[in-house]
Amino acid sequence: MLRVAALSRIEVYRRAGVSVRLVLGGGVLSLLILACALVSLSLGPVGIPVSHVASVILALLGIDGGEFSRTEQLVIEQIRLPRIVVGAAVGMALGVSGATMQGLFRNPMADPGIIGVSAGGAVGAVAAIALGATGLFFLALPTFAFVGAISATFLVYGIAAVGGHFSMATLLLAGVAVNAFLGAIVSAIIILLPDNEALREILFWLAGGLDSRSWEHVRISVPLIFGGAAVITLMARDLNLLTLGDDEARSMGVRVGYMRTVLMTAAALATGAAVAVSGTIAFVGLVTPHILRLVLGPDHRVLIPMSAIGGAIFVVVADTFARTVIQPAEFRVGVLTAFVGAPFFILLLIKNKRQAYSL
Amino acid sequence: MSSLMGVRGIVDPTNFSWPREVEGLNGFVTIPAKPERIITASVGHDESVLALVPAERLVAVGAFTKDETFSNIAEFVKDRPEITRDPETIIAQSPDVVVTSPFFTADGIDALTRVGIPVVQTELKHDPEARINNILFIGYILGEEERALQFAMEVRERYESLVGVTSKAAPQPRVLAVTQYSDKLWVAGSNSTEGGVIVAAGGVNAADEAGIEGNQTTSLEGVIAMAPEVIIIPQPVAFGANEFRESLLNNETLAEVPAIKSGRVFVVESKHFTTLSYWNIRGAEDLARMLWPDDFSANPSPAFSLAE
């Protein structure tokens, strides 16, 4: 009975207007991300009382609060806060890009990696490590990863647009081929690399992580991620129409080719920036929009902004576990998101399959 | 030769003729005759072999053994043919025996064994007793028992002379071995080679105390939480050790860490701290000189003797 009641509440919510869903869903998720960020700020190898955390935050906002030590202030301001901001931005990018790809491909199994952005980022990062470029300048690794991510995306898109006729099916197949090719490049570099330390670095980058993220990483990633997410959010109505099919969308006045290019570019830029600062973090872009679609419905005007916040929550929570579960050592956040995301996704698939058969 | 009694791996410590049988991690192995052409598949084993046999008997080595960044014997093996973990490159050198570390693959051992090459996989533990056991065990495999006993005594004497001082020194400082590759910080906890060196030098391994096992990544916050009194950087200078040291000393977030406050942050010779051989004792001697300057001469320790 309880389950029926809960389901009916979700159904009522899904049928409510866009504004209502945005306000309610956005309100709940915003409170949740704030709470998660505060809890995350309070946890770490250095024990800092919650009251001191609050005082530091108030001081950051220019409000004179309680007492805290200089070390506590620096730990929160220079270590935990930038890491949480980067984590939230990465989750936001993956969530929004996942929802966009699922909409564009009209397939809930799509994720940002489908257009080669993750594999391209991996080739860039692996090349930077293998060539020893990471020591050349501070942000060498994210720069190489970003260039790799964006180049791969344009390669996939270019293949799909060869001959002036764009095809989503070709895009999908080009994505599969380019992903396989880039994966082979990564494998070849790993096999040929004689340096054990570099191999270990590559392995860790591929497992995704937010260790040592600083305000510099915030500065290079957040503008691209917020920019990309904003563009996609503004075009959410057009994305809704694109999910009806190209002909239907065209008949409703959508410039299909243009919209698709802009949406894909925005998603690629956001994901590329995210991959550049975090490595490969699996399942966030796949699972977050999928879960939120079950609750909020498929309307992208709601789904896109909620996926942004949902993705941010997912990554911030996962990273909090990653840096505290074996503290003062660290776990890899990409491994945790896959540990949680994959079984959860399988459960969803089984549940959906059962429901489909019971109809 | 009664001193070979109790050496792990020697099946019959009274048998000094050929063939002789040993028990490696890969099971019982028969060595048919005194090996003249020897190959190992790790830097640490190459270092041990070179202490026991004339250099020409070590017929080929891996790339790391030739690289003076990682190897303490690079200058002696520069001209040797290079092998990889691919069994074919080892078979091509026609070795009489191959001594490997536990990291060598079972497939590789199987491939070598199938072509009739005796392969002995030895244990690799971090404590000095295990290092000495390995010297004696490898000496027996190579038919160099007398040299092995002599060299084991040299290593033991250096170790005992070191800990004779460091074990009495007090208060023992909390030492953290930390390195940075790319943007990741690595620390060495319990059961790490660096951790064993710290303890032998009379320090307390801060990462071990914090519950870290082996070599793990941490954050700057982790370094603050471990609050070391001394930080050592066992990272090659070519890999940015000096720049990393400067970045630690100039990082405002770490200002309250005791080691940073006192400026006791040292770049150390990484190959003495990370190699898996008796050379770790040299690392402990290096570190002891830093931790207890009043108790040890400032002059570097002498090199270990080599087989003639």
Side-chain angles (χ1 to χ4, degrees), chain A residues 11-93:
Chain A
E11 196 52 39
V12 168
Y13 181 71
R14 285 178 63 164
R15 285 179 188 175
V18 170
S19 309
V20 174
R21 276 182 286 165
L22 272 175
V23 170
L24 278 178
V28 169
L29 290 178
S30 298
L31 284 175
L32 208 53
I33 182 68
L34 274 176
C36 291
L38 280 172
V39 170
S40 183
L41 269 178
S42 310
L43 298 174
V46 175
I48 304 177
V50 178
S51 60
H52 290 206
V53 174
S55 301
V56 173
I57 294 166
L58 288 173
L60 274 174
L61 298 171
I63 303 165
D64 192 18
E67 61 178 35
F68 51 82
S69 72
R70 178 77 180 136
T71 299
E72 289 172 340
Q73 182 191 10
L74 287 168
V75 166
I76 289 171
E77 277 183 23
Q78 299 301 323
I79 297 177
R80 292 184 192 171
L81 197 52
R83 182 173 179 151
I84 290 168
V85 173
V86 172
V90 166
M92 180 181 189

Side-chain angles (χ1 to χ4, degrees), chain B residues 163-177:
Chain B
V163 295
V165 178
T166 59
S167 62
K168 291 180 195 135
Q172 297 208 320
R174 302 175 65 258
V175 182
L176 183 67

